[in-house]
Amino acid sequence: MQLVLEKRVERSTKIAILSPLLAIALTLVTMSILFAILGKNPVMALYVYFVEPLTDSFTLMEIAVKATPLVMIAVGLSLCYLANVWNIGAEGQFIMGAVCGSYLAVVTNGTDPGPWVLPAMLVMGAAGGALWAMIPALCKVRYGANEILTSLMLVYVADLIMDYLVRGPWRDPKGMNFPTTASFDPVATVPTLFETGRIHWGALAALIVVALATVMLGRTIKGFEIRVVGAAPRAARFAGFNSKKLVVFTFAVSGALAGLAGIIEVAGPVGVLQPGISPGYGFTAIIVAFLGRLNPVGILIAGLFLALTFIGGEGAQISMKIPLDLTKVFQGILLFYVLACDSLILYRIRLIASPKKAAHGTA
Amino acid sequence: MVNAVPVSEPSARAPLLQAIAMTKRYGTFAANDSIDLDLYAGEIHALLGENGAGKSTLVKTMYGLIQPTSGELRWMGEKLELTGPSDARSQGIAMVFQHFSLFDNLTVAENVALGLDGVESFAAMSARLAQVSRDYGLPLDPNREVWRLSVGERQRIEIVRALMQNPKLLILDEPTAVLTPQEADQLFTVLFRLKSEGRALLYISHKLDEVKRLCDTATILRGGKKISTCDPRKETAASLARMMVGAEIGEVKATGARATTIPRLLIQDLSLTPDDPHGVHLKNISIEVKGGEILGIAGVAGNGQDELFAALSGERLAPREGNIVIDSNAAGGLSVTARRKLGAAFVPEERLGHGTAPRMKLSENALLTGHAASHMVKHGFVDKPKTLETVDKTTKTFDVRKAKRDPEAVSLSGGNLQKFIVGREILREPGVLVVSQPTWGVDAGAAAVIRQALLDLSSRGSAVLVISQDLDELAEIADRIAVMFHGHLSPPVAAHEATREKLGLLMGGASAEADAREASHAIGA
């Protein structure tokens, strides 16, 4: 018997939908084995991870809170990846968005400047993320620098800039020397949706982003341009699409969305600028983007699912003493399986009986 | 099982290689369906068939590149199992591919060394290379880098590499496709010599006159099945074509009055350095294409045709606005989209990946070139029904055969996809159409449809520029023919005065060299 990958004539739409589900199933099996090795009951652990958070209205809202930045960032990243532009630095753009937006909150702190502050913060956050993303974009367009490296390295630069600011000029004078800014004023805070819980208007913003991206990718010439440049660069050039301009465009949009997610996170659930505002949203969003098939609606579902793993992971840490790092392991395994299962969209697996050839192969 | 082969000699001899009921299936599709073939020493055997007939699959199984689903090979009477090309080479089977596998930055000798299984020293191998190339009249400088060589010379490397293995059977896949008529004649001399040395040759082609000239036996494939084995010298070109195609091919003819007065496409003194370090410099190219005319550009591939196409389409911008004029508009600096808006249309050589995005639907591929000037986009939004309408119209007008209404481009056969691409552009009624290799790798039926469509477009007053390696095609449709060589374009000659010999000489650089000599004299004087 021989396992053969055979190219399909046309991509299979059925598998395109099934592939992420298959990846999730394989991940769950692998995770069960890991739980067993750690000496935990796999059934119990999977329940705590994936079911328990869904049984409580507070954790359900927390899932939405965590999913908000993931979805926003991942939608932006999906535009890049569709166009074959590899922005790996959304984490940095997220931080710079938070930093730039926070500037206004910090300088107006305690002055009651009026309701314009929050909108202005959001604009500055988006602009900050976009500008930060321009560095790898322009390096690529101008000098041919590999955007994977430049965008990734800038994450650490952004992180250090924020660290400097909250430990230095922006540190809260009444903060007992903790590296944090003063708590943002109410006018500089994203309001919550309900009386209780932390779910905020940013969640609606994420839904609007999903809707806009769906329309853009499916209906507009710009969306078509993005897809062609990624799928067939030479055909895109023949179509008259400028791939360099598109690198700048996709980096700008994804940077702006990551920056917006950053300032919404800081001005919403967190309420101050401080190190550790992101548990790696910018990196997890890469998984969300691929798990969601680089499709905005898929990303919404995938974002909620990965948010569930964050919340479930916290729960498992508390109730079963399972290390929180296992959540990251889970996310890594998931991305691995997603990419592996994707090959089934273009190829089919066939078992071919050929004892003779097998004998030759081993000879 | 055993086929009676009507060879010139009575078949007292045993075949060198016998293929019995060779079958290769991909899923449900049979690329080869129970094909029998006998090859004899000292014989040139033609394998004839259209693209997709199964020729390549069959020879690749004989060379060990493809494992057959069923059937068997017998080599000098003994059962032969090939697990890879090195098996085939060790038996004495060599192959010259249509697409060369050479490294541009390496020398001739280095390339040959990479393709040989032997253990001899590099110096000994180089000496043997020089010896073999001299012996067979295939001159090659072992120390020259491949990128400096013409296509014909590159092919020589492949042939010499094959001959250095001293093969009993040499398989040649469409070897004349990249040669000038004169180069092809030189190749034939070599092939006759190999035959007289008692080697068997399997010669894949779809050029009937060549096969009639060269081959002792011909096996014709169609749709994966063997149609017949015959003596090509006793057949007419028409009867061979009938067996290949399975039907009569319609004549292509010009219709209507063809006014030829107004130049609609002008190229003026265009010089361009290539992006690619191994690309071709375009040198002072000037030509005009009038409305109602088809201008053919002949030439061996790699002499600047790709660069010229890119400069005309706007994928490469010309140094000066006036280098390219479309309907009296200076267009040298305009983008592809802007040129399309001026009424120009383009069909590149590569169907998949250049002319279409392979994994996108036909409607999206209609949008690919239609977004510029076909009202498919309103306020940034795509009018999907309109793109589908274009697909339907193209399908109907150009008889594009496909499994469903809007499949991915890659699922269409070469001929049908080419009809779609050409149709997509012609339906826009372009004032200027630039087409590169319009019927490359396309079946005869589709080729006839495409050529007729080009003739019809020109008779409606459009200027059509056809870049083609196929001299027969240019003779059939072009009014004037110019030849590209080393980035130069010869002055055009009227098609009825353009004999194969004349064009062949130009394709080999005869007049370009003369021009250069004149120019240097002028400077010297």
Side-chain angles (χ1 to χ4, degrees):
Chain A
M1 295 293 257
Q2 215 181 9
L3 262 182
V4 176
L5 274 185
E6 202 175 83
K7 200 154 190 152
R8 294 176 193 270
V9 182
E10 272 211 39
R11 67 170 57 228
S12 160
T13 340
K14 204 170 74 190
I15 302 285
I17 296 165
L18 279 179
S19 147
L21 298 179
L22 180 63
I24 289 173
L26 288 169
T27 310
L28 294 184
V29 171
T30 313
M31 283 301 281
S32 304
I33 297 168
L34 277 180
F35 287 135
I37 292 171
L38 286 173
K40 312 286 178 193
N41 179 350
V43 178
M44 185 68 191
L46 287 180
Y47 177 81
V48 172
Y49 248 90
F50 299 109
V51 184
E52 206 168 57
L54 300 174
T55 58
D56 179 296
S57 68
F58 175 76
T59 46
L60 276 175
M61 279 198 274
E62 277 302 297
I63 290 172
V65 170
K66 288 264 192 249
T68 298
L70 286 178
V71 170
M72 269 192 174
I73 300 169
V75 166
L77 289 181
S78 70
L79 301 184
C80 290
Y81 300 160
L82 282 171
N84 241 334
V85 175
W86 299 100
N87 177 6
I88 308 296
E91 181 82 359
Q93 292 139 26
F94 176 91
I95 293 170
M96 287 315 277
V99 165
C100 290
S102 298
Y103 168 76
L104 271 185
V106 170
V107 296
T108 63
N109 198 274
T111 61
D112 192 18
W116 60 270
V117 173
L118 182 64
M121 280 167 68
L122 297 181
V123 170
M124 283 187 67
L131 285 175
W132 198 247
M134 276 308 94
I135 302 172
L138 294 178
C139 283
K140 180 181 170 73
V141 171
R142 264 291 178 79
Y143 308 111
N146 184 322
E147 77 274 22
I148 298 177
L149 297 177
T150 50
S151 65
L152 177 63
M153 290 190 291
L154 283 166
V155 171
Y156 307 104
V157 178
D159 207 29
L160 290 171
I161 289 175
M162 176 176 71
D163 219 50
Y164 162 73
L165 289 172
V166 297
R167 286 173 204 275
W170 291 3
R171 188 173 57 190
D172 181 9
K174 293 173 236 137
M176 328 269 285
N177 261 335
F178 279 106
T180 168
T181 63
S183 291
F184 292 180
D185 291 333
V187 283
T189 305
V190 179
T192 54
L193 278 173
F194 309 110
E195 294 283 307
T196 58
R198 298 199 304 157
I199 190 165
H200 52 86
W201 285 92
L204 287 184
L207 289 178
I208 292 169
V209 165
V210 167
L212 289 178
T214 307
V215 172
M216 185 180 94
L217 281 175
R219 307 280 310 276
T220 69
I221 189 74
K222 195 75 193 169
F224 177 69
E225 182 180 341
I226 288 172
R227 289 185 290 126
V228 181
V229 167
R234 195 143 175 247
R237 197 165 164 193
F238 179 63
F241 299 142
N242 182 329
S243 65
K244 288 188 170 177
K245 277 188 193 158
L246 198 67
V247 168
V248 174
F249 174 83
T250 52
F251 254 109
V253 172
S254 68
L257 284 172
L260 188 62
I263 186 59
I264 286 176
E265 186 70 9
V266 171
V270 181
V272 295
L273 184 67
Q274 62 184 30
I277 49 169
S278 162
Y281 286 134
F283 295 119
T284 307
I286 297 171
I287 304 171
V288 172
F290 280 105
L291 185 64
R293 304 244 55 86
L294 304 181
N295 168 307
V297 177
I299 284 170
L300 179 62
I301 298 165
L304 288 166
F305 179 72
L306 275 157
L308 172 68
T309 69
F310 275 120
I311 305 296
E314 284 170 13
Q317 187 186 24
I318 294 164
S319 64
M320 293 183 73
K321 304 208 164 39
I322 291 172
L324 195 58
D325 284 340
L326 211 59
T327 307
K328 287 204 175 130
V329 173
F330 171 86
Q331 293 175 351
I333 294 174
L334 184 59
L335 179 62
F336 170 79
Y337 279 127
V338 167
L339 297 178
C341 290
D342 272 5
S343 53
L344 296 179
I345 298 169
L346 290 181
Y347 298 87
R348 71 172 93 233
I349 295 180
R350 276 164 59 99
L351 269 177
I352 292 177
S354 58
K356 254 185 217 157
K357 246 176 269 158
H360 268 285
T362 52
Chain B
M1 281 249 285
V2 179
N3 251 14
V5 185
V7 206
S8 40
E9 286 175 52
S11 57
R13 300 173 300 157
L16 177 70
L17 180 74
Q18 220 180 351
I20 301 162
M22 298 300 284
T23 299
K24 177 66 188 175
R25 287 180 195 285
Y26 294 101
T28 55
F29 169 73
N32 281 168
D33 191 354
S34 196
I35 295 176
D36 298 325
L37 189 70
D38 294 344
L39 300 178
Y40 294 86
E43 182 186 288
I44 305 181
H45 192 125
L47 195 55
L48 268 171
E50 293 210 274
N51 287 86
K55 298 171 303 203
S56 291
T57 307
L58 183 63
V59 296
K60 279 179 183 165
T61 45
M62 292 180 175
Y63 192 56
L65 277 169
I66 292 177
Q67 309 298 331
T69 312
S70 65
E72 84 174 48
L73 293 174
R74 282 199 197 140
W75 180 248
M76 298 189 279
E78 306 232 342
K79 194 168 174 201
L80 177 67
E81 279 196 47
L82 300 171
T83 55
S86 57
D87 271 10
R89 283 196 293 266
S90 68
Q91 295 289 342
I93 301 172
M95 182 159 171
V96 175
F97 290 91
Q98 191 180 3
H99 300 286
F100 309 146
S101 43
L102 297 170
F103 296 93
D104 282 350
N105 286 323
L106 299 184
T107 65
V108 172
E110 286 165 341
N111 267 290
V112 171
L114 281 170
L116 291 180
D117 301 322
V119 287
E120 65 191 322
S121 76
F122 187 74
M125 194 279 309
S126 290
R128 202 154 67 84
L129 165 65
Q131 183 68 38
V132 171
S133 72
R134 240 193 334 271
D135 281 357
Y136 284 95
L138 295 162
L140 276 175
D141 175 358
N143 299 317
R144 225 170 145 74
E145 286 102 352
V146 166
W147 65 268
R148 298 173 183 275
L149 303 181
S150 72
V151 184
E153 289 172 309
R154 287 175 203 213
Q155 186 181 54
R156 262 181 236 162
I157 304 177
E158 297 272 359
I159 293 174
V160 169
R161 176 152 80 185
L163 291 181
M164 285 174 71
Q165 298 156 26
N166 193 21
K168 295 190 179 72
L169 167 62
L170 180 63
I171 303 170
L172 297 128
D173 193 356
E174 307 220 5
T176 56
V178 294
L179 300 181
T180 66
Q182 284 83 356
E183 284 175 317
D185 284 341
Q186 286 169 15
L187 175 68
F188 294 160
T189 314
V190 175
L191 298 185
F192 280 125
R193 160 122 185 243
L194 293 172
K195 172 185 159 180
S196 69
E197 289 173 350
R199 302 177 205 274
L201 283 94
L202 183 58
Y203 186 88
I204 303 177
S205 185
H206 59 249
K207 293 188 184 166
L208 303 174
D209 49 340
E210 265 177 36
V211 168
K212 278 174 66 66
R213 248 177 84 189
L214 192 64
C215 302
D216 309 289
T217 315
T219 293
I220 294 127
L221 301 185
R222 185 168 78 226
K225 289 198 174 77
K226 182 167 118 174
I227 298 303
S228 144
T229 293
C230 60
D231 183 343
R233 291 163 300 198
K234 291 182 185 149
E235 299 284 332
T236 63
S239 66
L240 287 172
R242 220 171 10 250
M243 287 190 271
M244 257 169 73
V245 180
E248 299 283 347
I249 303 161
E251 277 280 295
V252 175
K253 50 182 172 286
T255 51
R258 306 181 68 200
T260 54
T261 45
I262 322 138
R264 301 194 71 169
L265 174 65
L266 264 173
I267 309 172
Q268 295 175 324
D269 198 26
L270 171 69
S271 297
L272 202 58
T273 43
D275 284 334
D276 177 355
H278 297 162
V280 178
H281 288 258
L282 297 181
K283 290 161 202 153
N284 310 96
I285 290 181
S286 296
I287 204 155
E288 63 172 39
V289 193
K290 300 190 188 83
E293 164 182 67
I294 296 183
L295 179 84
I297 293 186
V300 174
N303 271 297
Q305 293 95 327
D306 294 349
E307 288 80 1
L308 179 64
F309 181 85
L312 288 174
S313 70
E315 288 162 281
R316 272 299 302 281
L317 298 184
R320 286 184 288 115
E321 282 287 340
N323 283 146
I324 291 161
V325 180
I326 296 169
D327 273 337
S328 317
N329 298 290
L334 295 182
S335 69
V336 188
T337 303
R339 292 182 200 199
R340 290 203 177 104
K341 284 188 174 142
L342 290 177
F346 313 96
V347 176
E349 176 180 348
E350 280 290 325
R351 284 186 280 279
L352 290 170
H354 194 180
T356 63
R359 289 278 169 194
M360 288 191 156
K361 293 178 187 305
L362 288 188
S363 59
E364 294 175 300
N365 276 305
L367 181 64
L368 193 73
T369 59
H371 71 90
S374 297
H375 310 290
M376 288 181 186
V377 180
K378 286 180 191 111
H379 310 296
F381 283 84
V382 176
D383 188 345
K384 273 196 182 162
K386 193 112 191 170
T387 61
L388 267 173
E389 206 179 280
T390 305
V391 175
D392 292 343
K393 235 165 110 185
T394 314
T395 305
K396 215 170 132 230
T397 319
F398 291 90
D399 184 30
V400 180
R401 311 222 179 119
K402 52 195 167 63
K404 53 185 181 183
R405 188 182 178 195
D406 195 14
E408 285 177 4
V410 68
S411 70
L412 266 64
S413 75
N416 281 309
L417 185 58
Q418 189 70 6
K419 282 192 279 187
F420 171 77
I421 296 172
V422 172
R424 165 182 86 180
E425 304 304 330
I426 284 182
L427 279 182
R428 283 172 41 214
E429 285 295 321
V432 171
L433 179 67
V434 179
V435 197
S436 183
Q437 319 297 351
T439 59
W440 172 80
V442 158
D443 61 275
V449 170
I450 290 166
R451 289 175 190 158
Q452 188 64 53
L454 295 177
L455 279 169
D456 292 348
L457 180 72
S458 80
S459 71
R460 293 195 294 271
S462 300
V464 179
L465 184 120
V466 178
I467 302 171
S468 179
Q469 285 193 67
D470 186 342
L471 289 184
D472 299 331
E473 169 168 88
L474 292 179
E476 200 173 342
I477 60 173
D479 300 293
R480 296 185 298 153
I481 300 174
V483 176
M484 268 204 109
F485 179 74
H486 282 191
H488 288 282
L489 189 65
S490 77
V493 270
H496 57 86
E497 293 168 9
T499 59
R500 292 184 77 85
E501 286 64 38
K502 201 167 180 179
L503 292 176
L505 286 173
L506 289 170
M507 285 161 77
S511 99
E513 300 292 329
D515 285 355
R517 242 177 284 128
E518 270 174 36
S520 64
H521 279 304
I523 293 163

